[in-house]
Amino acid sequence: MDAVSINTFFLVGALLIALSVLLSPVSSKLGVPILAIFLSVGMIAGEDGLGGIVFDNYSLAYLVSNLALAIILLDGGMRTQVSTFRVALGPSVVLATLGVAVTTVLTGLLATWLFDLELLQGILIGAIVGSTDAAVVFSLLKGRSLNKRVGPTLEIESGTNDPMAVFLTVTMITVLGSPEIDLGVGFLLMNFIQQFGLGALVGLLGGWLLWRLINRNQLPEGLYSILAISGGLIIFAVSNAIGGSGILSIYLVGLLLGNKPTRSRYSILNVLDGMTWLSQIGMFIVLGLLVKPTDLVSIAIPGLMLAFGMIVFARPAAVWLCLIPFKTFSSKEKWFISWVGLRGAVPVILAVFPMMAGLPNSQLYFNVAFFVVMVSLLVQGGTLMKAASLAQVELPPKSEPIYRTGVEIFPTSEWEIFVYCLKKDKWCVGEPIRNLFMPEGTRIAAVFRQQRLLHPSGSTKLQESDILCVLGQEKDLPALSQLFSEAPERAALARFFGDFFLDINTKLVDVALLYGVDLGELSAGVTLKDLVAEQLGNSPVLGDHFEWYGLQWVVADVVDWQVTKVGLRLPADEETLSE
């Protein structure tokens, strides 16, 4: 490659990335997932598009996509809280294994009929598109407020189900490529255990060693993120080399680094955020360049039938079957989880496998996978938040600081600076700092007024539009944000937690007297806590709700997985009277 070609490569690549970034605001205006915009940029720049770029290097696309997916999973793992495993781990693992298998079989049977294929060829298509995609799920759920049963279940499932899809795809390719090989149950079981077992072992052990390495070395600030990314990629490659699942390994590395006191953790997360966006843009542009839109026309009708068959039948059947043992999920939550069976980069990456193996119909597999991904992004991704609203799994937006950053006071410091801007209707406006009920151990480090730095003392009275820099830890964030910031307004969620709030230990007899409810022979000692346990089980989460004697009750506050407050939402007629 000469200097001119290299310069052209840099110019075209940078232009496509810049164009993707500049078009990203269009996604919210059109209601189209941002990743679909990136994919469209690649298609428009491709051979059949305005750019006319001829790109058919599937090996390079496979390399770029795997590198990007590894970085995305590392970032996703670091942002997943282990505390959510209490209610989400079991269902996530079942969905990531049995759920993928069921989706594969049902989708494969439909593909066999629609494309007039042999049964094993149809099952191969089912395996290729059988898993939800971590890149898409993490991207679309990022910053969304879903209840802590549904959101983490979807995130953990998408981060751990790729090994199952890879296992099924490789197995089907082996069977189709070498029919004489006898793949018995024992062989398949051993390969399955190897993928998951080695992947988990290498991920956890390697992640722990990387965590120790990061914490034990004194490096310039900018090098910790490079060490974390390179270490994660080493573990990813080692796991793949010995027959494990590198995808699972690097997700677990991120999970471990994000949930232990890690030196320069906030700097690592900030760098990873940018790297993840670049990975998503680059991966979807490259995948978009690979496809020829004209090739998709011939499979449009059966492709649509397959995509919608998977969306409305195969995925829901798998979800409902897998969640039978988990009684805490409501019907609406199951339907929402079914709907968020988003497909993205992974199916397209897996569709490259048959091409690299030289299987017949490999171009068909690739085109079908790409078509299914496009439909999934546009249909499921474009309606995700509407579906969340209908399923009542969306929570009101939290009050958040306008900016936050870590403070490296000592190597594994968890201290942060939270920045707030005071609005005129906050009660603390006009009050001296000494009168504030701030969490113990937090301090107002600085106050900016009209772009001038003040040195606050206990007698300093806060004013509207003051900018406060508060030193604290993440555990203090809910109390500080409630004190100093306002949640974004969402009219549809204004009364989500109810009109009145009652302590969990309130006796039902007192509630009955207030609202004229006849409790019959119910014991006078029964409390709201007993009622919540009876209606919602032992693991309720924020936002869970139920109806009791015509009254709507909502879990309004949860501390350490224990309900402390319940909201009461008045019926419409009582609400009108109260006004």
Side-chain angles (χ1 to χ4, degrees):
M1 183 178 287
D2 57 25
V4 175
S5 299
I6 293 174
N7 190 61
T8 303
F9 173 77
F10 287 161
L11 177 62
V12 173
L15 281 173
L16 291 178
I17 291 173
L19 181 62
S20 298
V21 172
L22 294 174
L23 287 175
S24 59
V26 175
S27 68
S28 58
K29 295 178 181 178
L30 298 180
V32 176
I34 192 170
L35 300 184
I37 298 292
F38 301 155
L39 201 60
S40 300
V41 169
M43 295 173 65
I44 292 171
E47 187 174 350
D48 285 353
L50 299 176
I53 299 173
V54 179
F55 180 77
D56 57 1
N57 192 330
Y58 290 93
S59 297
L60 178 59
Y62 177 76
L63 173 65
V64 170
S65 300
N66 269 277
L67 176 61
L69 187 61
I71 293 172
I72 292 166
L73 284 167
L74 179 64
D75 178 70
M78 285 196 70
R79 298 179 194 276
T80 301
Q81 296 180 351
V82 170
S83 60
T84 61
F85 279 31
R86 175 173 175 143
V87 294
L89 182 60
S92 299
V93 171
V94 177
L95 286 170
T97 50
L98 178 61
V100 173
V102 172
T103 304
T104 293
V105 172
L106 295 178
T107 306
L109 292 173
L110 186 58
T112 300
W113 173 64
L114 288 172
F115 294 97
D116 193 24
L117 299 171
E118 297 178 5
L119 178 60
L120 293 181
Q121 292 175 326
I123 298 296
L124 175 57
I125 291 180
I128 289 171
V129 300
S131 67
T132 60
D133 186 75
V136 178
V137 172
F138 288 148
S139 174
L140 292 181
L141 295 188
K142 197 172 186 178
R144 308 289 188 182
S145 295
L146 301 182
N147 79 42
K148 291 201 174 188
R149 182 185 304 110
V150 172
T153 295
L154 290 167
E155 290 178 352
I156 298 170
E157 178 205 4
S158 67
T160 58
N161 69 357
D162 294 335
M164 186 64 174
V166 172
F167 166 74
L168 293 172
T169 301
V170 171
T171 299
M172 297 310 303
I173 289 174
T174 303
V175 172
L176 289 169
S178 305
E180 69 280 0
I181 295 180
D182 181 20
L183 299 179
V185 175
F187 177 84
L188 295 176
L189 185 61
M190 284 302 298
N191 274 271
F192 176 80
I193 294 173
Q194 178 178 317
Q195 277 274 318
F196 280 85
L198 280 178
L201 180 63
V202 172
L204 292 174
L205 179 59
W208 182 82
L209 291 173
L210 179 59
W211 172 72
R212 297 276 292 182
L213 190 63
I214 290 173
N215 284 349
R216 282 178 172 271
N217 281 277
Q218 185 74 36
L219 301 171
E221 180 74 13
L223 292 182
Y224 288 108
S225 54
I226 297 175
L227 178 59
I229 294 171
S230 60
L233 291 174
I234 290 170
I235 295 166
F236 173 80
V238 168
S239 182
N240 283 331
I242 63 175
S245 169
I247 292 173
L248 177 60
S249 295
I250 198 166
Y251 176 74
L252 292 176
V253 169
L255 192 68
L256 195 145
L257 293 180
N259 286 274
K260 293 181 75 66
T262 303
R263 186 193 287 262
S264 200
R265 174 173 172 264
Y266 301 101
S267 174
I268 294 171
L269 282 171
N270 287 336
V271 172
L272 268 178
D273 188 49
M275 290 290 292
T276 298
W277 276 112
L278 181 60
S279 297
Q280 290 174 342
I281 293 171
M283 175 171 61
F284 279 91
I285 287 177
V286 168
L287 295 177
L289 286 171
L290 275 179
V291 74
K292 298 178 182 178
T294 52
D295 291 344
L296 302 181
V297 175
S298 60
I299 63 163
I301 294 178
L304 276 173
M305 293 175 67
L306 179 65
F308 279 99
M310 184 184 67
I311 291 171
V312 303
F313 172 63
R315 167 71 176 178
V319 169
W320 282 71
L321 175 65
C322 291
L323 296 183
I324 287 175
F326 306 99
K327 306 298 184 183
T328 54
F329 288 88
S330 67
S331 297
K332 287 184 177 180
E333 288 173 338
K334 291 177 183 176
W335 281 120
F336 180 72
I337 292 172
S338 301
W339 190 252
V340 192
L342 291 154
R343 270 57 188 175
V346 171
V348 183
I349 295 171
L350 293 180
V352 174
F353 284 23
M355 289 189 161
M356 297 174 70
L359 289 186
N361 292 320
S362 58
Q363 188 63 53
L364 173 65
Y365 303 148
F366 181 86
N367 291 339
V368 169
F370 194 93
F371 196 91
V372 168
V373 166
M374 285 294 295
V375 173
S376 177
L377 284 174
L378 294 173
V379 175
Q380 293 171 288
T383 59
L384 185 143
M385 295 320 295
K386 179 64 175 177
S389 178
L390 292 173
Q392 296 180 310
V393 298
E394 184 183 15
L395 300 178
K398 295 179 181 179
S399 300
E400 296 282 357
I402 59 175
Y403 179 76
R404 59 188 290 191
T405 185
V407 181
E408 194 79 2
I409 298 172
F410 48 86
T412 56
S413 169
E414 295 189 9
W415 291 94
E416 294 184 68
I417 288 288
F418 304 113
V419 181
Y420 298 96
C421 182
L422 294 183
K423 303 296 184 181
K424 64 179 179 180
D425 54 352
K426 298 303 291 183
W427 76 267
C428 56
V429 171
E431 292 289 328
I433 289 176
R434 70 166 66 94
N435 289 355
L436 303 182
F437 298 98
M438 294 177 60
E440 185 178 356
T442 61
R443 294 288 184 275
I444 296 179
V447 176
F448 288 87
R449 184 172 296 164
Q450 297 178 352
Q451 300 184 0
R452 289 173 46 243
L453 172 64
L454 304 182
H455 299 285
S457 64
S459 60
T460 302
K461 289 187 177 182
L462 299 177
Q463 296 182 12
E464 179 187 350
S465 300
D466 278 357
I467 295 178
L468 310 183
C469 300
V470 184
L471 183 66
Q473 297 185 20
E474 188 163 9
K475 63 182 178 62
D476 306 313
L477 190 56
L480 290 173
S481 294
Q482 186 175 13
L483 184 61
F484 296 126
S485 70
E486 294 180 342
E489 293 184 4
R490 294 287 297 276
L493 298 174
R495 296 176 59 241
F496 183 89
F497 289 118
D499 302 292
F500 302 101
F501 302 98
L502 299 172
D503 186 88
I504 192 67
N505 295 311
T506 302
K507 292 183 179 180
L508 289 183
V509 65
D510 296 332
V511 178
L513 287 173
L514 185 61
Y515 292 98
V517 176
D518 182 10
L519 297 180
E521 299 179 357
L522 194 67
S523 171
V526 177
T527 64
L528 276 176
K529 184 176 183 180
D530 301 320
L531 178 64
V532 169
E534 176 189 333
Q535 296 286 333
L536 301 175
N538 297 322
S539 300
V541 297
L542 192 69
D544 276 354
H545 53 88
F546 61 91
E547 183 177 343
W548 178 75
Y549 280 96
L551 300 175
Q552 295 290 330
W553 298 90
V554 185
V555 175
D557 191 32
V558 178
V559 178
D560 294 331
W561 297 100
Q562 298 297 317
V563 179
T564 60
K565 192 185 299 180
V566 179
L568 171 60
R569 191 183 300 144
L570 293 177
D573 54 344
E574 292 190 32
E575 178 190 355
T576 303
L577 288 173
S578 67
E579 293 176 354

